[in-house]
Amino acid sequence: MYGNLWLIPFFPLLGAIINGLFGKKIKNEAVIGGIGTLMIFLSFLVAVQNFFRLIGDTEKVHEIVLASWMTVGNLQVNWELLLDPLSAVMILVVTGVGTLIHLYSIGYMHGETGYYRFFSYLNLFAFSMLMLVLGGNALVMFIGWEGVGLCSYLLIGYYYEKKSASDAAKKAFVVNRIGDFGFLCGLFILFWALAGHGVWTINFVEIAANAHLLEAGGALITIITLAFFLGATGKSAQIPLFTWLPDAMEGPTPVSALIHAATMVTAGIYMIGRMNILFAMAPSTMMTIAIIGAATAFLAASIGFAQNDIKRVLAYSTVSQLGYMFLAMGVGAFSAGIFHLMTHAFFKACLFLGSGSVIHAMHHAYHHAHLHDDPQDMRNMGGLRSKMPITFWTFLLSTIAIAGVPLFSGFFSKDEILWWSFGSTAGHPIFWIIAVCVAGMTAFYMFRLVFMTFFGAQRTDPRAKDHIPESPWTITVPLMVLAFLAVVGGYVGVPKILGGGNHFGNFLAPVFGPAQELHNLNAHGSHALEYTLIALSVCIALFGIYMAWLMYMKNPALPAQFTAKFAGVYRFVFNKWYIDELYDFVFVNPCKRFGTFLWKIFDVRLVDGIVNGCAWVVKGVGAGLRYTQTGYMYNYAVAMVVGVVVIVGFYVFG
Amino acid sequence: MAIDFPLLSLLLFMPLAGALVCLVLGMGNSTAPRWVALLTAAGVFVVSLLLCLLQTPTAGWLFYEDYRWIEQFGVRYTLGLDGLSSVLILLTAFLQLLAVLVSWRQERAPGVFFALLLVLEMAAIGVLLALDLILFYLFWELMLIPMFFLIGVWGYQRRFQAAVKFFLYTLIGSLCLLLAVISLYLLHGDQTGTYTFALEALKQTELSTTQELIFFFCFMAAFVVKVPLFPFHSWLPDAHAEGPAAGSVDLAGLLLKTGVYGMIRFAFPLFPVAAQKTLPVLAGLALVGLFYAAWVAYQQVDIKRIVAFSSISHMGFVILGLAAWNQTAWEGSLLLMVNHAITTAGLFVVVAMIEQRTGSRSLDQLGGLWKSHPNMSAFFLLFCMASLGLPGLANFAGEILILIGVFTVKPLWAVIAVGGILFSATYTLRLVQGTLWGNNCEPHDKQDLHSREWLVLIPLAVLVVALGCYPQPVLDLLREPLSALLLVGGMP
């Protein structure tokens, strides 16, 4: 019945191959971009079809084995896909948002050398991500897991001639590799632990079915889940492995939207969701996840205050929102986390693409005026709302959504997370306090961005300011669609307390319900309390907006006064808490120095020295023998005697 | 099962015949030898492919030849082929075919050069077939000579030092092997009255633990040097750096494999008790080497040396798998060995192409090749990704099996080894960044791949993907032979 599921990853793979192999010969941008977009759109259609099939189906979990991969001993690894409500939601988000980003790229990347390369990578990325979410066992998932790593490497380093771009790409890959270390360790320990009970499997359904063999709350399950969580922090840019994401803004803007809004960074959340049964068994891990999530959300939001590069603000905002999702996972609000993942994909993709539209226009203007100002610096913008009305309105709607203003999508998903972090059996009021602060901070720095970019006086160089155009339709149409979703996307999951049916949560219940019931993960509390909390969070969000308005609209001199007064704090935040410098100091540089030591001292001097020493001794002895003796016969005789002595020695002493 | 037609001898002597023809024709003609070499290598490849296809996944010898040879010492000419040897022979034949193509433009004494390549192929195949210890030793030593000359005559500036170093290292190892073989022969003769070098007979020799350990160390001395296992590795980077491209392909693809083959075919089954006792040492050295080589690779500037050290690092992985002593890990080890040979051969081939076009192998001077030579760069990137263990490409399948196998025995070893995977990313990405990205190199030869180079790279690339997605044919061939060899040792 779900026999065509394989088409979903297949189409983008096909597109990647076509554009990768023949793109250079095709040359025509419309054809290249058309193929890339069409392929992912076809995937989207198949995804929609399967999604509705699944809705109508009573059986919610379907495994499709495509072929065998390796069989060794008791272990059989297949190429297999898994369709359940969780992966169904994910494929919709990935292909849906992915299609819009592909469409957007057609116009955005116009005129770039390597146009075909870009679409090939983009398709390959979509393929990897779809393998990741559809993979029916941990190794197929790992293919996607590493595949998105590779593609992000290629896409972040798309402008490979720039040193900063290739450095950022390398950093992203290596930091992700640290996470992969965790993923693999988790996988092996899990495999080993289950094998100890006679179950040789890496298949998700079987793992879920046999999870009860492991001791809930035991050390083993805690280690397993912590290792997996380390993997998740790499992909989803959480403390301690978040440093790659802001640097990854070196890639073209559609890449930022694809990687950092809709796909790659959500992999960690998805993975925890996929293995929710294991995580639910390890309360200490859950607590760790919640703490890390809340801490990351706060840290990133604070850095977002001080950035002037429009994309960097969005990057830190992404890290911060991901922290929110991890907080949700940590307090057991799995479906709320996935819900926020989805709404975030809508509004963050819209924001990134909107910023791309702005950068595109600024770039155009500067190019026109032969200037080399930074088209991404918000200090060069201002007053753009009249120049780019569509970009402005879509951007504004998405900003309202992310700020958590009621009735917009972000409000519903964020509020569910807030409620769970307060009232869940795994939650704590402190989580709620942090999360609600972050909500206020988010509203502040996002509106700061909007005010600096679209409102106020235009600070662009006078020579360029009249040449800022609105973007073409391939750019604005995706923006409008995404803005629409950012507004209404939350209505699929309106919670009961606000008069909705929480369809989203109910749809995912077959995936998350069992674990939540078994380990007593639920949010409880009176309606009055819940209403109060909602009202409070809304107030704080509005307060954040008000502060942004106060500082960047009403009294633009205020920010400068603030930074002057708290110069130390400002510098600390502006420099991203010096975490990159700290890592360089503690890990990277010592590693490099140790490597130099191993090579220059150990390998060249010691290992080679011994060898050369031997050679030297042999040479010396040989030379000595040559002086004292007559010919070769002697050497042979010595060799024979030595040999005989050794052999005799064996008999005597052996 | 025995077949009357001496297929194995054909396989063995075909390259020798080709080598002689090369020598003779090479006297007056400079293009004839390469065609002879190509045809010979192709012939060997076809025969070995046939042998692989004929294999049924059962234990025992599919082909077996046994003749009297030097009767007064009980030396026999015994060859046997099972799934294990057929996989490795196929690999040898395949890579040798590419090595000939890579050296197509060899202008310096082509007759001798191609003859040496073919002799090397014969020796490697002989090692993989021989079941008589003297015969084995003969082939083992025979591998040394062509390689010595290939590096020493056709290499770069410091070729002579490199060749001598290579010779010295391997010769010391080999002498230990010879000593042990003869002693074992005498010991066995004294015990049973029949003096023989036959592997199967010698397995029955009764040895005290001390004797076993001494013999085992002597055997392993020869094998670990070839692998090479840390800290016996320092000849390899020099041999690679100073040797010609075909030499590197052969080193990575042929020579290194024989070390591991020697361990599992000879050293482990002959001295199972000693093997079991030393496994932790082996694993320890493998783990240290895994990291050590990766770490040193990161420091290198010469791209050929980076690949050489990565090779050492990967072989550490292979040995670790052997040390785990179970089916999953062993199949993984052998699979990784095959896959690594293909990936590394690809890397060395592209490195040689890069050097041809830019005149440099230094990361400081290279860069921006992606722009000037997109096709070549795409292949390089593919091989690099395979080398750093990207899932879906060749090396990953082997690595994951090794890790799973190791984990079921010694979780800690596996966790440390997973860390090694992380390190492989750092030096490989540095290699990619320094060669492909950036914009600071002006290659004097702007020509992207030409047809002969496509011919070399496409099969490698196809295999890298195919073995990554479906390694089962290789695993099927390996299964029974390996489980039989594992049984001999027995689990402690």
Side-chain angles (χ1 to χ4, degrees), chain A residues 228-487:
Chain A
F228 275 121
F229 175 57
L230 177 64
T233 58
K235 275 280 172 295
S236 294
Q238 296 295 295
I239 295 172
L241 300 179
F242 70 96
T243 53
W244 66 270
L245 194 140
D247 288 24
M249 294 301 132
E250 289 287 344
T253 309
V255 173
S256 312
L258 186 64
I259 299 181
H260 307 129
T263 56
M264 178 167 162
V265 294
T266 60
I269 314 284
Y270 169 77
M271 189 254 279
I272 293 178
R274 174 55 68 217
M275 303 192 189
N276 66 80
I277 293 182
L278 299 178
F279 280 90
M281 287 167 72
S284 348
T285 308
M286 295 286 275
M287 181 63 96
T288 313
I289 295 175
I291 292 171
I292 294 273
T296 311
F298 180 80
L299 173 85
S302 76
I303 298 175
F305 274 19
Q307 301 300 314
N308 289 318
D309 182 310
I310 186 167
K311 272 173 80 181
R312 280 195 179 254
V313 176
L314 293 177
Y316 282 106
S317 157
T318 303
V319 176
S320 173
Q321 294 298 309
L322 287 164
Y324 246 91
M325 295 176 216
F326 274 100
L327 173 61
M329 297 322 240
V331 296
F334 299 120
S335 69
I338 300 294
F339 186 29
H340 195 59
L341 184 160
M342 185 182 79
T343 57
H344 176 257
F346 298 148
F347 53 69
K348 189 53 67 64
C350 186
L351 290 171
F352 266 120
L353 294 183
S355 78
S357 176
V358 169
I359 295 165
H360 192 250
M362 295 298 289
H363 194 270
H364 179 270
Y366 286 138
H367 188 72
H368 192 89
H370 306 289
L371 293 169
H372 294 284
D373 295 19
D374 184 355
Q376 297 186 193
D377 194 328
M378 294 190 294
R379 284 168 298 188
N380 296 336
M381 297 174 187
L384 293 182
R385 72 176 186 280
S386 55
K387 307 266 182 195
M388 319 181 68
I390 303 177
T391 305
F392 164 65
W393 279 108
T394 52
F395 203 95
L396 183 66
L397 290 175
S398 300
T399 306
I400 296 173
I402 197 179
V405 173
L407 306 182
F408 287 69
S409 64
F411 167 73
F412 296 116
S413 55
K414 199 177 267 187
D415 229 75
E416 211 181 330
I417 295 176
L418 284 171
W419 169 234
W420 274 75
S421 62
F422 186 93
S424 163
T425 41
H428 195 279
I430 291 176
F431 289 142
W432 182 84
I433 292 171
I434 296 174
V436 103
C437 283
V438 172
M441 291 159 83
T442 308
F444 173 79
Y445 69 71
M446 282 310 299
F447 270 89
R448 168 179 176 263
L449 191 160
V450 168
F451 291 144
M452 282 180 82
T453 309
F454 293 102
F455 287 86
Q458 203 177 357
R459 294 179 298 275
T460 318
D461 191 293
R463 284 165 292 176
K465 67 197 293 184
D466 293 329
H467 300 285
I468 299 174
E470 177 60 285
S471 299
W473 71 269
T474 52
I475 290 183
T476 51
V477 166
L479 288 180
M480 290 187 281
V481 176
L482 284 168
F484 174 74
L485 289 171
V487 176

Side-chain angles (χ1 to χ4, degrees), chain A residues 136-157:
Chain A
N137 63 47
L139 277 190
V140 177
M141 183 194 221
F142 194 63
I143 291 216
W145 188 267
E146 289 278 276
V148 291
L150 167 69
C151 296
S152 69
Y153 172 74
L154 294 172
L155 284 166
I156 295 166

Side-chain angles (χ1 to χ4, degrees), chain B residues 354-417:
Chain B
I354 291 176
E355 193 184 7
Q356 253 168 32
R357 283 161 174 77
T358 62
S360 170
R361 276 190 341 222
S362 162
L363 279 185
D364 297 339
Q365 291 162 19
L366 292 169
L369 291 173
W370 187 267
K371 192 172 201 171
S372 50
H373 300 84
N375 295 331
M376 184 178 79
S377 303
F379 278 109
F380 193 58
L381 186 65
L382 175 73
F383 296 134
C384 279
M385 287 302 144
S387 174
L388 66 72
L390 198 78
L393 299 180
N395 287 17
F396 177 74
E399 281 170 11
I400 202 82
L401 289 179
I402 293 174
L403 288 172
I404 288 176
V406 173
F407 211 104
T408 48
V409 197
K410 290 278 196 293
L412 190 63
W413 294 358
V415 169
I416 298 172

Side-chain angles (χ1 to χ4, degrees), chain B residues 28-327:
Chain B
N29 191 328
S30 61
T31 55
R34 66 190 191 200
W35 284 104
V36 175
L38 184 68
L39 284 177
T40 318
V44 175
F45 177 68
V46 170
V47 174
S48 52
L49 188 64
L50 207 67
L51 288 173
C52 270
L53 294 176
L54 283 175
Q55 288 285 356
T56 46
T58 51
W61 307 112
L62 178 66
F63 292 96
Y64 191 79
E65 288 176 27
D66 186 24
Y67 305 102
R68 280 171 305 192
W69 187 20
I70 311 172
E71 268 189 87
Q72 57 268 47
F73 296 118
V75 180
R76 297 183 71 85
Y77 172 86
T78 316
L79 304 176
L81 179 109
D82 61 358
L84 172 62
S85 28
S86 59
V87 165
L88 295 179
I89 287 175
L90 182 64
L91 176 73
T92 304
F94 171 70
L95 289 177
Q96 201 61 3
L97 194 57
L98 298 185
V100 170
L101 280 173
V102 166
S103 331
W104 201 244
R105 294 255 170 267
Q106 185 56 253
E107 276 160 11
R108 185 168 176 196
V112 187
F113 182 86
F114 286 111
L116 287 174
L117 276 188
L118 291 175
V119 171
L120 185 61
E121 179 170 22
M122 176 207 180
I125 292 177
V127 164
L128 297 171
L129 287 176
L131 291 177
D132 181 284
L133 261 64
I134 285 294
L135 193 64
F136 172 76
Y137 179 75
L138 217 70
F139 286 125
W140 183 265
E141 287 295 285
L142 185 59
M143 285 196 302
L144 194 56
I145 295 156
M147 203 64 222
F148 174 76
F149 285 110
L150 283 174
I151 298 170
V153 178
W154 282 271
Y156 294 87
Q157 283 86 7
R158 288 182 55 242
R159 56 180 180 260
F160 189 68
Q161 284 98 314
V164 170
K165 200 169 175 183
F166 163 73
F167 201 84
L168 207 73
Y169 253 106
T170 36
L171 193 71
I172 290 171
S174 304
L175 286 179
C176 292
L177 175 66
L178 180 65
L179 204 67
V181 166
I182 294 174
S183 315
L184 186 64
Y185 162 79
L186 293 175
L187 206 61
H188 181 262
D190 281 359
Q191 278 179 11
T192 61
T194 37
Y195 286 86
T196 174
F197 285 101
L199 173 64
E200 289 307 316
L202 290 178
K203 278 184 194 166
Q204 314 303 328
T205 316
E206 281 170 28
L207 298 168
S208 71
T209 310
T210 325
Q211 284 171 326
E212 260 206 30
L213 277 171
I214 293 170
F215 284 137
F216 183 69
F217 281 134
C218 288
F219 269 68
M220 290 300 275
F223 299 144
V224 295
V225 166
K226 270 286 197 321
V227 166
L229 183 66
F230 173 88
F232 311 102
H233 63 275
S234 77
W235 62 272
L236 187 80
D238 283 351
H240 272 305
E242 302 302 326
S248 291
V249 171
D250 282 350
L251 271 176
L254 275 58
L255 261 63
L256 270 53
K257 312 298 162 269
T258 56
V260 172
Y261 178 81
M263 288 183 197
I264 59 178
R265 178 75 84 203
F266 294 95
F268 293 168
L270 279 171
F271 319 109
V273 177
Q276 290 296 347
K277 276 196 190 305
T278 37
L279 284 184
V281 180
L282 214 54
L285 290 179
L287 277 177
V288 172
L290 177 72
F291 276 93
Y292 175 83
W295 225 311
V296 176
Y298 188 81
Q299 301 295 321
Q300 300 303 309
V301 181
D302 180 341
I303 53 177
K304 219 171 172 184
R305 277 180 188 270
I306 297 180
V307 182
F309 275 107
S310 91
S311 194
I312 299 172
S313 183
H314 283 118
M315 290 314 279
F317 234 109
V318 171
I319 300 297
L320 180 71
L322 294 186
W325 204 272
N326 63 43
Q327 184 79 18

